[in-house]
Amino acid sequence: MKNILTAPFIKEMCDAAANMYRLGWDERNGGNISVMLDEAQAGEYLDLGSVLRTIPTGFGAKPLAGKLFLVTGTGKYFKNVKGDPENNLGIIRIGRDGKTAELLWGYKDGGRFTSELPAHLMSHMSRLSVDPENRIIMHSHPTYTLAMNYVHELDEKKLTHTLWEMCTECIVVFPDGIGVLPWMPCGTNEIGIATAEKMKEYRLVVWGMHGIYGAGKTMDEAFGLIETVEKAAQIYMLTAHLPRVNTIKDNELQALAELFGVEYRKDFLNL
Ligand code: 13P
Ligand code: ZN
């Protein structure tokens, strides 16, 4: 058995958490990440027959029964993940009934998975239904995205459109746009269901006045989506109070999307 601390999936998670902390997206325990693991790869580092604890999830995730996830722990600080993965992360397998999680590694101090597990697992189910290669769900509290939530309408078309205008690359990076939920209590099955519904259509979902979710086949894809939204939101917040002299026009956004051959939300442009 290889040393799990050398596993590429642990390193990738540690690096992502460290970057997110460094960028100011994840203060204290803010944010959470889940990664669906390949069973054969995980089996090189873990005895898959040895269950440390069984933890109820509080909701049903039967389509994910038997699947393995590496998940950040609830209340754990992102800044600490890299230095102490075994306390701050855990690897769970969804039980046969879909309602329990079998802990295979981690949460060493008796901890448990993120309080946002409903939103994560339900979003995995949604994304897998439209993209069988999806592996990552990422949640964070990026500063400018959050700031923008207080001064911009929380409307999917309007928010996406404003962000597309802020950086040339935006419509190419997230041509599918951004789903938006109103403010809701977090850590509940209800916000999980609402997020997962949006995830059937979008890889990005803003939680009004809370943060953002990103999904992807790879950590880079999920991270890059949030990073691009955050950059655009930063430009918006740096300019929103100033007279707008120039802008990228809708026919230019359309030309760009067509040049790059991306499937974009035509109904989010005003042509
Ligand atoms: P956890 O510490 O339970 O992951 O919660 C952090 C968070 O961002 C809640 O939305
Ligand atoms: Zn949060």
Side-chain angles (χ1 to χ4, degrees), residues 164-263:
W164 280 352
E165 286 179 318
M166 292 298 116
C167 305
T168 296
E169 298 282 294
C170 280
I171 196 169
V172 178
V173 174
F174 53 96
D176 39 349
I178 304 175
V180 176
L181 292 181
W183 185 90
M184 292 173 76
C186 55
T188 62
N189 288 351
E190 288 67 32
I191 203 168
I193 294 164
T195 308
E197 199 48 43
K198 294 291 180 193
M199 281 278 179
K200 290 179 186 160
E201 199 179 334
Y202 301 101
R203 291 171 299 158
L204 284 160
V205 179
V206 161
W207 277 9
M209 291 161 285
H210 178 138
I212 192 164
Y213 270 74
K217 296 174 178 55
T218 62
M219 194 71 86
D220 273 352
E221 182 183 352
F223 186 95
L225 283 168
I226 295 177
E227 186 178 32
T228 307
V229 167
E230 174 65 352
K231 176 63 176 273
Q234 182 175 7
I235 308 291
Y236 178 79
M237 292 308 295
L238 288 171
T239 56
H241 57 295
L242 301 171
R244 179 88 69 91
V245 178
N246 299 303
T247 201
I248 308 172
K249 299 181 189 75
D250 279 26
N251 65 326
E252 293 169 331
L253 290 170
Q254 179 188 35
L256 194 63
E258 282 168 11
L259 180 67
F260 280 84
V262 291
E263 276 292 321

Side-chain angles (χ1 to χ4, degrees), residues 27-71:
E27 73 294 340
R28 199 176 185 273
N29 64 310
N32 21 75
I33 314 173
S34 62
V35 181
M36 194 169 78
L37 299 179
D38 175 72
E39 193 177 319
Q41 191 190 24
E44 294 175 28
Y45 301 89
L46 271 181
D47 175 1
L48 299 177
S50 167
V51 177
L52 304 175
R53 284 188 270 148
T54 300
I55 313 172
T57 59
F59 61 97
K62 218 160 184 186
L64 299 176
K67 299 276 187 212
L68 299 172
F69 292 91
L70 172 62
V71 187

Side-chain angles (χ1 to χ4, degrees), residues 54-92:
T54 300
I55 313 172
T57 59
F59 61 97
K62 218 160 184 186
L64 299 176
K67 299 276 187 212
L68 299 172
F69 292 91
L70 172 62
V71 187
T72 52
T74 186
K76 299 301 187 196
Y77 290 30
F78 266 41
K79 75 181 176 63
N80 296 339
V81 171
K82 197 166 191 165
D84 190 1
E86 202 171 353
N87 265 321
N88 294 291
L89 304 174
I91 296 178
I92 56 172

